[in-house]
Every structure is written in structure tokens, then in C-alpha cells.
Amino acid sequence: MAVPKRKMSRSNTRSRRAQWKASAPTLVTCPQCRDPKLPHTACPNCGTYNRRQVVDPA
Amino acid sequence: MPTPTKGPRLGGSAAHQRLMLANLATSLFEHGRIKTTEAKAKRLRPLAEKLITFAKRGDLHARRQVMTVVRDKSVVHTLFTEIGPSFENRPGGYTRITKVGPRKGDNAPMAVIELVREQLAARTETAAAAAEEPAGSAAAETATEAGDTPAEDTTSAQTSGSAETSQAEGDADEAQADKKD
């Protein structure tokens, strides 16, 4: 079975993990309640899309 | 003809996909709106609209063809007696898919698929109602500004009263819009 020959140094581990980045989502303002929401998606705050009530707000 | 589906079957096999889509269509016709993943909603839409077209035709052959997909006789009955006739004037586009954001737990993109309940002529009315709503709020603002100029004691009562009435009107408008929906 293939196994690593050397221990992975902390430096290499941290260098690899430094590339794990989260990206900020694109947000737009809800025309009904002015809350930020995902584009082309019903507003999770007021439950409307295109001023039409789609879901009950959580 | 709807666009042919690309990629693997939902659930892994053709039989599994057929059963899932049949269950989704049954639930959609039973409840009018269902919440599911975006992928399933997009696959369900052409099947559901085909079944509604059968329901609009309404003869025995169409009913038997629908019964091969939707196994529940009571659901097929409501489909043929209520849902089909309600789409009499609508040339296709019987369902609407609205995205509702990712699901907690597995981050799957979710959507609501629903039967379109608005009549075709009512579309302009709803647009007019939406246009009136901001106008009404603007009128309320001007009323409060006008009320600020006279004596201080009367303004508070006037502004509060006008604000309440305008809010009530706005609620009434929203209620009407909801009824139209």
C-alpha cells in the first residue's frame, strides 16, 4: 500500500489550507422589505418574489 | 415539444425517475403548490403541463392516459373537473417555478412549483395595483408633511390618524392582491 514517506510540515499544511476561501454571495435589495436577498430568488424575510407572496416568511 | 432532458436520471434509474415524477405530479395537483429541489421542479414542469393539457381535452382516452402516470383517482378527478377547466383560456404555461434559496442541511437549491391561478385578463389589474401602492404611500407622506405646519398639538393626532388610514388602505390593497393571486 502506498504511504507518505515524510510527515507533512505545518508550513505546507497551512499553505494548502490558506487557499480555502469563501466568496461573498451576490446580493440585491428586496423591493418589498429592503432586505438583502439572493438575486432571482424569493425574499427569505418577507417571502415575496416580484411583489407576489410565494412562501410564508420563516 | 419540451426540451429533452440532459444528464443522468433523477434517483439513478429510469424507473425511479418515473415514480418520483409521478409522485411529484400527484402532489402538485393535490395541493396546488409544492416545494422541492430546483432540479426536480424543472423536470416536473413539462410532465405536469402535459397532464394538464390532457385534462383540458377531457375525454376518456385522455383520462386513461393520465391514469398511467397519476395513480390516485381522486386527484385525477380534481384535475379533470377543476384544474383543467380553470386553464381553459391559457395557452400553455400552467405552472410557475420560483426559487426560494438553498435548503438547510445539504444546501440544495430549493424551488416552489405552483399552478398559475391568475386569469389572463387579471394581469393588467395586478400591475395597476402594484403601481397604485407606492403612489398611496407617497400621498400619505405629503399629508404628514402638510400636517406639520399647523399647531403642534393637532399635528400629532392628524399625522397618526392619516398614517393609520393609509396603512389600512395599503393592507386592503394587499388583501385584494392576495385574493387575485
Side-chain angles (χ1 to χ4, degrees), chain B residues 148-160:
Chain B
D148 283 339
T149 46
E152 290 283 319
D153 295 340
T154 57
T155 51
S156 59
Q158 282 176 352
T159 50
S160 62

Side-chain angles (χ1 to χ4, degrees), chain A residues 36-55:
Chain A
K37 70 174 190 73
L38 291 170
H40 309 292
T41 305
C43 176
N45 184 47
C46 61
T48 59
Y49 183 70
N50 208 357
R51 292 194 182 275
R52 181 189 298 113
Q53 194 72 33
V54 177
V55 288

Side-chain angles (χ1 to χ4, degrees), chain B residues 140 143-144 154-169:
Chain B
T144 55
T154 57
T155 51
S156 59
Q158 282 176 352
T159 50
S160 62
S162 63
E164 282 171 7
T165 52
S166 64
Q167 282 177 356
E169 286 167 4

